[in-house]
């Protein structure tokens, strides 16, 4: 029997487990056991934007009312009827919250392959690509948990930093990051901080809750960290870019009203306040620039055209390896891996994330595989 978690697409708090007999493989298919996957606030954003951004389309549930939530992690081929993938091969990529996935490898090469299943062909390549661990320049077996937790988030962080630099920082002198204790936010701050000392480097300001102030300041990648009730301390006369990781409509309005024409760009990335995402009227009559959704695959596609897929992968791997140093520091690690096994563990973490109760330093890596 196979098992997977189904989520009500209109009520993210409503979940159920689906079981079905494992089906036989057709020619050209490979069965992967999903060994371990990360579950973070980023996945809650996938659910909140599931219809608008087609995240529900990757792993159809067979029921229009429910969806399989995508997660990032590792799988091992347990059965193969495709010459390009051997039994026992380990890959990193996009999976449902389940114990197995059948894929149809396409465009396979030494680095990896795409899932060429019909329903995935119209979806973005970055989510359909499975990386062979043996060929991944950033892979370290002992760092699988960190990769599952942070690699997809850090890829977004890397591309946000690249997007801002690619647009000459929109003429800004500082960058404001909400939910500054979140993993994608501090990954972005880390990348931005690597530009210190260069012409046009931005002052990096983190905004977070009072309870996360100490942790966020301890990261060392922000020039200043303020709590949400300290917004009056912001340098409003200094042109700014706002990168919104919180999704809070109220906070967004405060930032826009505070900076007005000095806000050079307003970028929405995700949402720890997932229940406010896409709220009707949230952006109505906002001063300053219209908030725009940052779509990482679009920036990745641009760089693949300019640098080639290998060039982007090499740059990303170098940045990732540098990022791993503070993340895994023996003295003051930025991340604490928390492992869990089975349905109860998965449900508990999912609900904790929905409620925003996860400690910022914790990263949950889970498994349903026997």
């Amino acid at each position: 029997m196979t098992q997977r978690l189904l989520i009500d697409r209109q009520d993210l708090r409503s979940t159920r487990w689906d079981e079905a007999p494992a089906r036989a493989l057709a020619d050209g298919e490979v069965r992967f056991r999903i060994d371990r996957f990360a579950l973070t606030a980023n996945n809650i954003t996938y659910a909140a934007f599931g219809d608008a951004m087609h995240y529900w389309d990757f792993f159809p549930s067979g029921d229009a009312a429910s969806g399989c939530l995508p997660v990032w992690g590792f799988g091992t081929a347990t059965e193969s009827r495709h010459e390009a993938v051997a039994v026992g091969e380990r890959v990193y990529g996009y999976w449902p919250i389940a114990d197995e996935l059948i894929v149809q490898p396409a465009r396979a090469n030494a680095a990896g392959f795409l899932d060429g299943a019909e329903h995935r062909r119209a979806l973005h390549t970055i989510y359909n690509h499975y990386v062979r661990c043996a060929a991944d320049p950033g892979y370290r077996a002992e760092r699988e948990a960190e990769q599952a937790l942070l690699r997809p988030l850090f890829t977004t962080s890397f591309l946000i930093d690249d997007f801002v630099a690619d647009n000459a920082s929109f003429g800004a002198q500082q960058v404001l990051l909400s939910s500054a204790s979140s993993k994608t936010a501090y990954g972005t701050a880390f990348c931005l901080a690597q530009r210190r000392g260069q012409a046009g480097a931005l002052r990096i300001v983190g905004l977070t809750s009072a309870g996360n102030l100490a942790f966020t300041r301890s990261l060392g990648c922000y020039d200043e960290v303020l709590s949400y009730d300290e917004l009056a301390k912001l340098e409003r006369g200094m042109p700014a870019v706002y990168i919104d990781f919180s999704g809070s409509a109220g906070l967004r309005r405060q930032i826009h009203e505070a900076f007005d024409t000095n806000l050079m760009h307003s970028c929405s990335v995700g949402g720890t306040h997932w229940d406010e995402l896409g709220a009707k009227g949230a952006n109505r009559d906002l001063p300053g620039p219209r908030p725009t959704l940052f779509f990482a695959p679009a920036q990745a596609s641009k760089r693949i055209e300019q640098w080639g897929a290998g060039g982007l992968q090499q740059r990303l791997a170098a940045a990732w390896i540098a990022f791993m140093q503070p993340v895994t520091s023996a003295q003051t690690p930025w991340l604490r891996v928390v492992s869990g096994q089975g349905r109860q563990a998965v449900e508990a973490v999912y609900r904790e994330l929905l409620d925003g109760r996860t400690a910022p330093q914790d990263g949950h890596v889970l498994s349903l595989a026997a």
Side-chain angles (χ1 to χ4, degrees), residues 40 146 149-150 180-183 186 211-216 218-219 326-328 332-338 352 357-365:
T40 71
E146 288 84 359
L149 284 161
L150 295 178
S181 68
S182 69
K183 296 169 180 62
Y186 70 64
N212 289 335
L213 267 177
F215 170 76
T216 308
S218 75
L219 297 171
V327 167
T328 61
T332 55
W334 289 9
L335 179 70
R336 180 174 62 205
V337 175
V338 182
E352 188 177 289
R357 293 183 286 109
T358 303
Q361 64 267 40
D362 285 352
H364 291 276
V365 177

Side-chain angles (χ1 to χ4, degrees), residues 166-180:
D166 194 28
N167 286 278
S169 302
F170 298 93
Q173 296 172 4
Q174 63 177 328
V175 56
L176 317 176
L177 290 77
S178 63
S179 288

Side-chain angles (χ1 to χ4, degrees), residues 77-313:
T78 57
E79 185 182 358
S80 178
R81 296 189 63 180
H82 194 291
E83 68 279 1
V85 179
V87 170
E89 183 160 13
R90 194 166 184 79
V91 301
Y92 167 75
Y94 214 41
W95 314 96
I97 296 180
D99 57 359
E100 75 164 44
L101 178 68
I102 294 173
V103 302
Q104 299 174 27
R107 292 165 56 183
N109 56 31
F113 56 85
L114 299 179
D115 183 358
E118 179 67 30
H119 70 274
R120 295 181 72 166
R121 291 178 186 173
L123 302 172
H124 203 281
T125 301
I126 198 170
Y127 297 111
N128 287 337
H129 189 251
Y130 291 83
V131 180
R132 302 182 199 267
C133 294
D136 181 359
Y139 175 76
R140 301 290 184 273
E142 69 277 12
R143 295 299 182 202
E144 278 195 355
E146 288 84 359
Q147 180 169 337
L149 284 161
L150 295 178
R151 188 75 171 266
L153 308 183
F154 186 72
T155 299
T156 299
S157 299
F158 175 89
L159 291 168
I160 292 169
D161 168 69
D162 181 61
F163 170 74
V164 172
D166 194 28
N167 286 278
S169 302
F170 298 93
Q173 296 172 4
Q174 63 177 328
V175 56
L176 317 176
L177 290 77
S178 63
S179 288
S181 68
S182 69
K183 296 169 180 62
T184 315
Y186 70 64
T188 303
F190 174 86
C191 292
L192 289 162
Q194 304 311 295
R195 300 180 184 274
R196 284 174 177 150
Q198 300 176 15
L202 294 169
R203 184 168 180 269
I204 308 163
V205 181
L207 307 174
T208 190
S209 64
N212 289 335
L213 267 177
F215 170 76
T216 308
R217 286 172 175 162
S218 75
L219 297 171
C221 52
Y222 294 99
D223 294 304
E224 183 178 23
V225 179
L226 299 173
S227 67
Y228 294 130
D229 57 6
E230 295 179 311
L231 297 184
K233 295 181 180 180
L234 289 169
E235 292 286 343
R236 303 183 186 198
M238 182 184 292
V241 166
Y242 178 46
I243 304 179
D244 180 12
F245 294 96
S246 76
S248 168
L251 176 61
R252 185 186 310 121
R253 181 165 294 278
Q254 288 183 71
I255 296 295
H256 276 252
E257 290 178 348
F259 284 87
D260 199 351
T261 57
N262 259 348
L263 190 63
M264 314 308 290
H265 184 72
S266 180
C267 174
S268 176
V269 179
T272 52
H273 293 79
W274 60 271
D275 49 343
E276 294 184 34
L277 293 174
K280 289 184 178 179
N283 295 328
R284 188 176 299 146
D285 301 324
L286 279 181
R290 180 177 179 82
T292 58
L293 182 66
F294 177 75
F295 187 51
Q299 185 68 12
S301 294
K302 178 179 180 179
R303 290 313 195 191
I304 288 170
E305 287 181 10
Q306 295 173 338
W307 301 336
L312 174 59
Q313 188 71 12

